[in-house]
Amino acid sequence: MPTTYIPTIVQDDAHTDGIWDVAWSKKTNLIATASEDSTIKCWDGNSGELKFTLEGNILAVISVDFSEDGTRLVSSSIDSSLRIWDVENDGKLIKTITAAPVEAWKAKFSPDGQLIATGSHNGDINIYSVESGEKVNSLPTKDKFIMSIAFSPDGQYVAGGAEDGAIYVFNVETNQLAHTLTGHAMAVRTLTFASDSKTLISGSDDKCIHVYDVEHGQLASTLTGHSDWILSVAANPDSSKQQLASAGADKRIKIWDLTLRSVLETHEVHTDQVWGIAWNTDGSKLVSGSDDKSLKWFASSGSS
């Protein structure tokens, strides 16, 4: 019997404007939401209660990501600022990294928490030191806007998805380009590595999800079913389930079986495009954030 996910908690007016990203901390069970209203909110993953609000961004917040140990949150904003917050102390601002205009888009922590990678409009993947706040590296691609970013869980790779559909995978240790992955016809807005660090999953404006074998640089499968841009993909951290969640501009959330390469279920709970989706640490729950300003939780049948 396949696991099914049941809608549970709903926060209808979680923000005063659209939600553009969500993240779920592996360690502290906090959920962070980034909004067009220029705030970040942190929620209790179990109860859905608002814990605290992070303010200081002048413009819309594009992305949020927790460090692996759950103590820090990095946010990126349209104003090209990266902010690092201490979520153990009610979201106290630790550091602001002011990137040059259009040098920072979506931002992700490296698994060891020492680096932050961001995409940029000029096609570079920029790497910043968390400790110093300085840009320590810039990995060049083909001069097309890097709209999505992901580290492999083992820290070996950093990948960037470009507006023209190409995906660039770099070896973090050597800073060398390992693979250029092709196949998408339009912008790649979202990337996620599976927990094996060898499988990279992408979602594109071409309505397709691609599953790549990163070791060999090959396209393993294509998943189709969304009727509009795919805005967020997230691999279930429980590798035994072999599941993927996706969300799109078609307002739908889909759960996929990666082994069968098929849709297990589709949820139509939002009234506008769904920009963010995230799993909890054991893959028994997920949360979605939408332009409709709402945050929605799902729990697998059998989880408390």
Side-chain angles (χ1 to χ4, degrees):
M1 180 74 186
T3 308
T4 54
Y5 294 88
I6 300 155
T8 53
I9 303 164
V10 173
Q11 286 282 4
D12 269 332
D13 288 306
H15 283 268
T16 58
D17 219 326
I19 295 169
W20 284 3
D21 198 17
V22 295
W24 201 324
S25 168
K26 291 189 175 84
K27 293 288 196 296
T28 59
N29 204 27
L30 276 180
I31 290 166
T33 51
S35 174
E36 195 178 354
D37 68 11
S38 81
T39 69
I40 298 155
K41 292 187 178 182
C42 288
W43 312 81
D44 183 295
N46 283 335
S47 68
E49 174 196 355
L50 178 64
K51 303 297 281 185
F52 44 87
T53 301
L54 312 181
E55 295 174 323
N57 286 294
I58 301 148
L59 299 173
V61 185
I62 301 160
S63 74
V64 279
D65 187 45
F66 284 102
S67 59
E68 192 74 21
D69 65 6
T71 62
R72 303 278 186 269
L73 181 79
V74 62
S75 64
S76 63
S77 167
I78 282 183
D79 63 12
S80 267
S81 66
L82 302 171
R83 287 181 166 83
I84 302 169
W85 312 84
D86 181 350
V87 287
E88 289 186 309
N89 288 300
D90 291 343
K92 181 170 172 280
L93 181 64
I94 298 170
K95 184 170 285 163
T96 301
I97 299 170
T98 306
V102 304
E103 276 208 355
W105 194 245
K106 288 188 176 176
K108 295 281 183 184
F109 273 111
S110 60
D112 63 10
Q114 294 180 18
L115 301 171
I116 292 165
T118 75
S120 71
H121 283 254
N122 66 4
D124 292 342
I125 296 173
N126 292 319
I127 311 285
Y128 294 87
S129 161
V130 170
E131 190 176 346
S132 71
E134 299 295 316
K135 183 161 74 172
V136 292
N137 221 326
S138 201
L139 307 172
T141 64
K142 293 281 184 355
D143 307 324
K144 297 289 185 187
F145 180 15
I146 299 291
M147 303 182 78
S148 51
I149 202 96
F151 276 99
S152 59
D154 64 5
Q156 186 177 349
Y157 298 113
V158 63
E163 64 179 337
D164 63 355
I167 299 164
Y168 302 94
V169 182
F170 286 87
N171 182 305
V172 172
E173 199 175 334
T174 65
N175 299 318
Q176 296 299 306
L177 182 67
H179 300 292
T180 301
L181 305 174
T182 57
H184 282 300
M186 296 168 77
V188 177
R189 290 181 189 269
T190 176
L191 287 172
T192 182
F193 276 90
S195 50
D196 65 2
S197 293
K198 295 170 185 166
T199 307
L200 177 64
I201 301 154
S202 58
S204 167
D205 287 6
D206 65 12
K207 310 174 194 170
C208 295
I209 295 166
H210 284 176
V211 182
Y212 292 96
D213 168 355
V214 176
E215 279 193 310
H216 302 99
Q218 291 173 336
L219 177 62
S221 60
T222 300
L223 307 176
T224 57
H226 280 283
S227 59
D228 208 333
W229 296 358
I230 294 161
L231 304 175
S232 186
V233 290
N236 189 318
D238 179 354
S239 56
S240 69
K241 289 183 180 167
Q242 287 293 299
Q243 286 177 354
L244 173 77
S246 63
D250 60 5
K251 311 172 193 171
R252 294 185 176 100
I253 296 158
K254 290 181 181 289
I255 311 294
W256 306 79
D257 183 313
L258 289 174
T259 309
L260 299 174
R261 302 179 181 184
S262 61
V263 177
L264 294 172
E265 56 193 62
T266 300
H267 293 275
E268 298 187 46
V269 295
H270 288 288
T271 58
D272 208 337
Q273 51 195 15
V274 187
W275 280 103
I277 195 155
W279 296 94
N280 70 340
T281 186
D282 67 1
S284 63
K285 296 176 184 176
L286 65 156
V287 66
S288 59
S290 164
D291 254 348
D292 66 12
K293 310 175 194 172
S294 77
L295 198 56
K296 313 249 176 170
W297 276 251
F298 304 81
S300 63
S301 48
S303 72
S304 55

